[in-house]
Amino acid sequence: MTKRKHQLLTESERDQILAIPTDRDHLARLYTFEPSDIEIIGARRERRNQLGVALQLALLRHPGITLAQLIQDRGAIPHDLAAFVAEQLGQHVTELANYAARDQTMTDHARELAARLGLRGPTRADIPFMVEAAARTAWATDKGMTIAMGVVTALREARILLPSISTIERASSAGRARARKQAAHALIADLSAEQVQALDQLFDAAGGMSHLALLKTIPVAAKPDHVRQILDRLRQVRKIDISPDVAGRIHADRFRQYVREGRASPAYMIERYIPSRRRATLVAFLLDLEERLTDSALEMADKLIGGIFTRAKNAQARSYAATSKNVARLMLIFRRTIDALTDAVDTGEDPMEVLDASVGWHTLLKARPEVATIAETANLDPLRVAADRYATLRKFAPDLLEALQFRAGKGSAKTIAAIEMLRDLNRSGKRDLPADAPMPFRKEWQKIVMGDDGKINRRLWEIATIAHLRNKLRSGDVWVERSTGYRQFDSYLLSEPKAKPIVSALGLPPTAGEWLEQRGRELDWRLKKFARSLKRDALEGVQYRDGRLQISPVRTIATPDAEALADRLDAMMPRIRITELLHEVAQETGFLSAFTNLRTGELCPNENALLATILADATNLGLSRMAAASQGVTRDQLLWTHDAYIRDESYRAALAVLINAHHRLPFSRVWGDGTTSSSDGQFFRSAKRASGGDINARYGVDHGFSFYTHVSDQRGPYHVNVISAATHEAPYVLDGLISHGTDLRIVEHYTDTGGATDHVFALCAMLGFRFCPRLRDFPDRRLAPIAPVSAYPSIAPLLGKRIRTDIINEQWDDVLRLVGSIKAGHVAPSVMLRKLAAYERQNQLDVALQEIGKIERTLFMLDWLENPDLRRRCHAGLNNSEQRHALTQAIYTFRQGRIIDRSHEAQQYRASGLNLVIAAIVYWNTIYMADGAQHLRSAAAPVPDDLLVHTSPVGWEHIAFSGDFLWDRAAASAGRKALNLPPDSRAA
């Protein structure tokens, strides 16, 4: 297809702007005539003119064009529209044939009707108006469709009929160029000559690479030297002295576009920009880089400080474990001592003589120092052991404190005072602390820090202060200016006025009293009902024995008929290479349109290179190896494509296209309607030198990461996050439910125990999700009543502490702010849950959220006990995640399935590429499973839906993932494949 000059829109977008609806509901909303319309139409004598005028009237109102223009653009009148209009007049569509053949009549009628409606046709004089409208819209975005619709909206508001789509596109393109120029000027208008010179000098070479390229390379391995290197880069950025207020001069979305471009574009490409664009890109990039460098330094320091204490605890554990044999021997001596003293009491003999004869006094004296040593080892605080790694702390902590300015509220004033004192000591070189040195850390450490001579131990005090600062930064009590991840806690929340309408839309009451009254009534009724059912032994699969619940495990067993049907469908699936599958799905769904050029906004002209780049992420093969194993693409093409088109938001948009396309397939409803989902983490080992991964004892001794994925009941993976293997999964449950960006309307969500906390129960309920985790420790968890425990005597052993309603009442306004902020997308749920968990002493908002969660968890537990169908649904939902894990292992095989990427961004690309390929496989399998089921039904074979539900579109035995990747051949063979049928079936 020949590329148009000023191309801004895809062909589908051009059609969408002037689209005429085809479904009855939209036709009725847009084109139903009122009596005054009928009067205008009836004024025409001939039936053909009446129908023609009616059609003209409809089109002038929407989309705002004449009938002649519609025929010119489309070549024909849409039948659905013509039929709907004719039906209202009691006529036949055939009457239009003669009307449409008379150009002058159509033109006259259009002019007359436009005048009656207060409309006028477009002229060349309207072009500046259209360009200005486009520029206003483009102030916030580069998306062609959004800009073009801004022009269309402005024309409609001005009562001007729409010109040709080409004119709209040209004006939109000109407006976008103007907006870009205006934004660039706003960013660089106040730069001094020295700042301009400093920006231009970023492209000068330094040690074989430009200063800009060096700034872009941020170390990620947690090492003291790397903290200092990051802080050196931070000082270089600050030296240019770009004011952060500059970012507020342009729209936030436009600013983020500059930032993305600065991040993704190599230095040599930015250098080629015209001066205004180049400097504007650098200004935005440097402002963002300052925040990222600040966060990187703090995150690396966090890992190093945490590592010091982790190693201290491990060393203490090893030391204690080494005494196990001595502990056993000493316990035998202790038992013999007790026995000897007991015998002496029983016989009336001298206890000391009996003890000396039985155990031996010298044996007890010899054991005394051993007992003291073991007791000291067991009670040794990790702070003392951490002091052995004081030298590691000194390698980076003084530089960190000097480079960053820490802020805090009144409650953390002692923390800031301790930091200032430590900073002064580092500057002066003094070693001794004053007697009144602030001790903001916990009391146990204050006692340890103070020596027997009454002096403060500098080493212990410094380690305790830095560890305390780490916790305060995590919670948000202490924050750093020009940081994204370590801001003031309150800055993560919307203000009450902004949160109020969002919370109201969720149906949450404005006061805690109303909520507690409603929940209290329900909880009381449910607990009493449960007690009665339990007493009658009327709960399926649940027994109450000796004050403890016993719940029979759920087993989902497919019948032989279901397994036979699944095997028949699997055998019918066409044999296909992954390259062919991706091309076919791209052709059917158009998901590649989500990958636009970062700098121009245009689509990728090389689909082979784009698909190869995605598959390189998905298989963990990497670009170089993918190029070596491919025909039809080169390494240079893959590198260019990756830099220009692969971004996190592009992957998310492409995944949404695939999930939505799959959701629209009728056959996908065999497995569900897209309202339930599950999430689970899958462990991937990291390479030996890769950083960031953590050890999770559940998976052995290797460092690694977890791909935490959400999967719908239709089997589509609709969201993925890369998290550390040691990170708790629960904070990330809501991330996928809130920000997946697809057409799925999830109302019920399943996880295993790792995804469940009371906080998640609370937020899910308040945000409108039913949270249903499979709790491994279910019998050990206690139901939480609001009323006194004495109100439920028969189930008292199952009840825990009463809900603290006073805390909920006190913190209700902040709870609503938190819920509103998450719902609005102002802050990610995982960010807030991790911050609340980081408080050394429980934050009151955290306590209130936990108490609300206890209520919701209790109601869920009652549902679980009373409803075996819920238990089966949860079990089946989690099986969906397990099926996806198996497919993941089949795809992500190269480099032994280990993650070698150091940056979180690159790791997220791997996970996103993998998720996208799995979604493509699910879509493709669903298409051909539907064909297979249709074939069986046409042959009079029974294919009931209750058997189809046991099939799955996550199979891959028919897909070839390895071998040479023949992209040109795959592109040439794209299109529907024939089912793999037995010879006799084909003949039939």
Side-chain angles (χ1 to χ4, degrees), residues 6-32:
H6 305 295
Q7 181 172 342
L8 186 71
L9 306 170
T10 64
E11 291 300 324
S12 63
E13 288 173 337
R14 285 166 66 91
D15 292 339
Q16 187 178 342
I17 287 178
L18 301 181
I20 307 295
T22 57
D23 65 285
R24 184 79 181 187
D25 289 350
H26 280 86
L27 288 169
R29 291 190 181 99
L30 292 172
Y31 302 121
T32 298

Side-chain angles (χ1 to χ4, degrees), residues 227-240:
V227 176
R228 294 200 300 271
Q229 290 175 22
I230 291 172
L231 294 174
D232 285 341
R233 287 168 170 78
L234 181 60
R235 293 186 186 95
Q236 293 177 48
V237 172
R238 288 177 174 173
K239 190 176 180 180
I240 301 176

Side-chain angles (χ1 to χ4, degrees), residues 730-747:
Y732 298 90
V733 171
L734 273 160
D735 280 5
L737 295 176
I738 291 293
S739 60
H740 56 82
T742 74
D743 293 341
L744 299 176
R745 295 293 178 263
I746 305 298
V747 297

Side-chain angles (χ1 to χ4, degrees), residues 315-481:
Q316 183 182 358
R318 287 193 300 270
S319 176
Y320 188 74
T323 65
S324 57
K325 292 182 179 179
N326 291 334
V327 169
R329 178 174 54 81
L330 293 172
M331 292 305 294
L332 288 173
I333 295 174
F334 183 53
R335 189 185 72 179
R336 288 166 57 197
T337 301
I338 293 175
D339 290 344
L341 293 174
T342 302
D343 291 342
V345 171
D346 292 341
T347 60
E349 298 180 65
D350 186 346
M352 297 304 296
E353 292 181 0
V354 173
L355 183 62
D356 187 42
S358 178
V359 179
W361 185 248
H362 68 282
T363 302
L364 290 175
L365 292 177
K366 185 178 179 181
R368 182 179 180 183
E370 292 183 78
V371 172
T373 300
I374 293 173
E376 184 178 340
T377 301
N379 294 324
L380 188 64
D381 193 284
L383 177 63
R384 293 189 183 277
V385 185
D388 295 337
R389 296 189 174 272
Y390 178 69
T392 300
L393 189 73
R394 290 294 300 176
K395 288 179 181 178
F396 69 90
D399 208 9
L400 186 77
L401 297 181
E402 192 65 35
L404 302 179
Q405 288 298 317
F406 300 94
R407 301 282 184 266
K410 293 181 179 179
S412 298
K414 286 179 68 176
T415 303
I416 299 299
I419 293 169
E420 292 294 341
M421 178 170 288
L422 184 52
R423 192 181 283 141
D424 291 341
L425 290 171
N426 291 332
R427 290 170 181 169
S428 64
K430 294 180 180 179
R431 300 181 63 125
D432 294 334
L433 286 161
D436 60 347
M439 296 188 186
F441 33 84
R442 56 179 184 259
K443 292 181 179 179
E444 295 85 350
W445 283 7
Q446 292 178 16
K447 295 176 182 177
I448 295 172
V449 164
M450 189 66 69
D452 295 335
D453 57 357
K455 292 184 178 181
I456 299 175
N457 184 309
R458 162 70 184 270
R459 178 175 294 194
L460 292 174
W461 178 85
E462 185 169 345
I463 293 174
T465 298
I466 296 297
H468 174 73
L469 174 62
R470 172 183 181 246
N471 291 336
K472 287 290 186 178
L473 284 167
R474 282 184 159 197
S475 66
D477 276 351
V478 173
W479 62 91
V480 178
E481 301 294 343

